[in-house]
Amino acid sequence: MVSTVQNSDVRQKDVDHAVVVAVTSRALFESDTEEDGDGAYAAGVAFPLLQALQRVNEQLLQRNPAESLLFDVVLMTTDSQQQQSSRFMSSTRHHGLEVTRFCFSSEEDFIESLLKNNIQLFLTTDENEVLQATQKGVPSVLLDEHSAVCSSEQLRVLFCENAIIRPSSDPTPASRQAAQSFSSQLGKMRQKFGMFDSPLCFTLVTLRGGKDSCCGALKALRSIGVSVDEAYCLAGAPRSPILSLLRPHFLLSDGFSNLDD
Amino acid sequence: MSLSSSQTLTISGQDLVKNGSRAPREDARAGLKPSTPTKKPQPPKPENAITIAVSSRVLFNMEKEQQIFEQQGMEEYIKYQVAHEAEPFRPGPAFSFVKALEAVNTQLRELYPESEELFDVVLITNNHAYVGLRLINTINHHQLFIERFCMTGGNSPIGYLKAYHTNLYLSADPVKVHEALGEGIAAATMFTPEKMTEVSETQLRVAFDGDAVLFSDESEQIFKAHGLDNVFLELTCFLHEHKGDCMASFSVFVPQGPLKGFLEVLGKLQKKFYAKGQRMDCPIRTYLVTARSAASSGARALKTLRSWGLEIDEALFLAGAPKGPMLEKIRPHIFFDDQMFHVEGAAEMGTVACHVPYGIAQRIPRKGVKDKETSQTVK
């Protein structure tokens, strides 16, 4: 069973134009611990990412109060936590999070909930949920303890070549399409900011190929409306020293690269 | 769709289930189908290679674009770069140096085909990736073998220099050079001569000043007062006096200058050529060009080098005479000096000269030489 409750504290977004991002309650809150006194949950690993999304919204609205291309963040929670649903809602309010809706479903139905709510990006700490959502063509990110130390001031998105993260089967046309359109939306958002002080930052990393594969990736991204701010071509150099400096919130890899080295 | 959170590069659901572990596979090449047969060799691993990091403004001539940036701002600069994307830049002061490094690599590969002890030139620039295509087009146009780059979009290059185990960093921006030196990375500010004398395409020639480049100048000051034997003792006292000074702490335990390590790696490569019988026509040649005189301080310089296990091919003691004419005869691809006076003198006579802002008395070089200093220098 799938149901949705609106958060009356937060202005609802124009769902036709917004970029809808779903985050699970387990990713957003530490449900094992409590903040003192209040009964509200403590911040989970998704916090900095959410704060970064909020900052993008703030800055977009500053430039244009009537802006409709915003991030629309919804909280998703499944059956086993139903009793805690009101705790999630009150914790959201307690932390002043810009969550527009709460989507409740059973574990079996959560994919239905994702599709019904037109989720364009799904954030979770559960590997199985990523697997299932990905198979249905919903772009999904697996968050972990690294996410907790990312910036809350600037949303950093890493575009990385497809070849390294090759699945055993090729991505479905649906998931490729979804990835592309999500990237294009982000690209449009980025265009609303200048070169300096943008709350949104795109980075391209090519891991294995040389400058020509990086060149191809830059052009491919440009063709879907994404201009990256930073670019790193590693040509086989070890990736972790560079990645640890970049600290992206998440990586996007399908949907823009058709180079196969 | 493949997405991932920050550090772990996994993703596609199926891979996660199969793999279990999320450790990134270092040798991703293994399982993938090979790319079109490359005529170019693969770049060496950074820990094996001698990494030379260059900024875009020393590798290429970007004077016009720099002017646009300074006078009209970032947006206009980017617009101009993108509009001229297909137009390659002309070579900058580091260009012939990089070409000579490649020539040495070619010869090393012939003699030691399995070895990764090669020069690896990495472009590390503050430029935004918007300029990326123009830079890549230019690299291709000039047929440079540069496969690695970092376009940091305004962020500091220091972390990336370290990630690549950089042996030498060349930039037009003295602020970055200063920062790199402070982090223990050999670095120098490169200037563009009005005209560049022709240099060899087959033999790499590197010239060094002695003091504050190869040798720490504190040791020289202390020697003058107390004699060589007391150098180490005095350096410890020197550190206490200048507790807050990072330059002092850099030099206290060994009286060596910031470029000593670079001379060392050049010497290591030279030995590889000697081992194959190429001593007389070695593709690498090093020079010491110092204002010292041969008599006492000159001899001491050579003794110090020897005590470090280093050799230098030619030592020129000018006893105070200007360096320009001598360098014009030697024609090095690059010359390092800690005094702007000598750097300018060399540049005037067509030598590509670099300033090593090392030593307590160093200040950021003044304008007037071909160096564009701005607080938002685009590089």
Side-chain angles (χ1 to χ4, degrees), chain A residues 21-31 41-55 71 73-76 88 92 95-99 121-126 129 141-156 248-250, chain B residues 4-6:
Chain A
V21 178
V23 58
T24 62
S25 48
R26 286 208 186 100
L28 190 55
F29 298 119
E30 290 289 333
S31 15
Y41 289 124
V45 297
F47 241 63
L49 176 42
L50 239 76
Q51 286 170 322
L53 293 173
Q54 271 171 220
R55 187 147 183 276
F71 287 113
V73 180
V74 308
L75 180 79
M76 294 200 53
F88 290 133
T92 301
H95 289 285
L97 294 174
E98 203 188 315
V99 169
L121 180 69
F122 175 47
L123 309 171
T124 175
T125 45
D126 186 320
E129 288 180 354
V141 176
L142 183 66
L143 299 179
D144 57 22
E145 68 278 4
H146 292 113
S147 321
V149 295
C150 288
S151 168
S152 53
E153 298 286 306
Q154 183 187 61
L155 184 69
R156 296 179 59 78
H249 288 93
F250 56 87
Chain B
S4 166
S5 74
S6 48

Side-chain angles (χ1 to χ4, degrees), chain A residues 121 127 130-131 134-135 139-144 146-147 150 156 160 163-169 175 179 191 194-196 207-208 210-212 214-215 218-219 222 227-254 260-261, chain B residues 1-18 20 22 24-29 32-35 40 42-47 69 74-75 78 82 85 127-130 132-133 136-137 139-140 144-155 159-160 163-164 376:
Chain A
L121 180 69
E127 285 185 25
V130 170
L131 169 61
T134 304
Q135 280 178 338
S140 310
V141 176
L142 183 66
L143 299 179
D144 57 22
H146 292 113
S147 321
C150 288
R156 296 179 59 78
C160 189
I164 290 301
I165 311 177
R166 180 187 292 256
S168 56
S169 63
S175 81
Q191 290 304 317
M195 306 295 311
F196 296 115
L207 296 168
R208 235 201 89 240
K211 59 183 181 297
D212 294 327
C214 190
C215 187
L218 284 170
K219 289 183 178 163
R222 195 189 266 188
S227 289
V228 297
D229 300 284
E230 303 174 29
Y232 302 86
C233 183
L234 269 56
R239 66 191 76 165
S240 27
I242 305 283
L243 286 182
S244 65
L245 292 166
L246 294 176
R247 291 198 185 278
H249 288 93
F250 56 87
L251 284 75
L252 289 170
S253 67
D254 278 342
D260 209 32
D261 62 350
Chain B
M1 164 74 186
S2 300
L3 294 184
S4 166
S5 74
S6 48
Q7 305 304 325
T8 53
L9 265 198
T10 49
I11 294 324
S12 143
Q14 284 157 342
D15 256 6
L16 285 178
V17 169
K18 254 192 339 193
R22 287 187 272 136
R25 295 164 290 163
E26 281 307 326
D27 186 19
R29 270 182 285 173
L32 301 174
K33 91 170 189 272
S35 49
K40 320 178 278 212
Q42 283 289 320
K45 292 195 198 54
E47 64 262 27
F69 171 71
M74 175 67 93
E75 306 280 348
I78 296 287
V82 174
E85 218 160 62
N127 262 303
H128 279 72
Y130 286 69
L133 285 170
I136 296 173
N137 287 339
I139 291 171
N140 282 332
L144 292 172
F145 186 66
I146 296 176
E147 297 292 345
R148 294 184 166 137
F149 47 81
C150 299
M151 295 170 196
T152 73
N155 295 316
Y160 304 102
Y164 276 109
Q376 290 173 8

Side-chain angles (χ1 to χ4, degrees), chain B residues 104-124:
Chain B
V104 173
N105 272 1
T106 305
Q107 297 177 71
L108 280 171
R109 282 198 174 98
E110 269 170 44
L111 296 175
Y112 299 91
E114 301 303 320
S115 173
E116 285 214 318
E117 267 182 330
L118 299 162
F119 289 112
D120 183 25
V121 180
V122 181
L123 175 67
I124 297 195

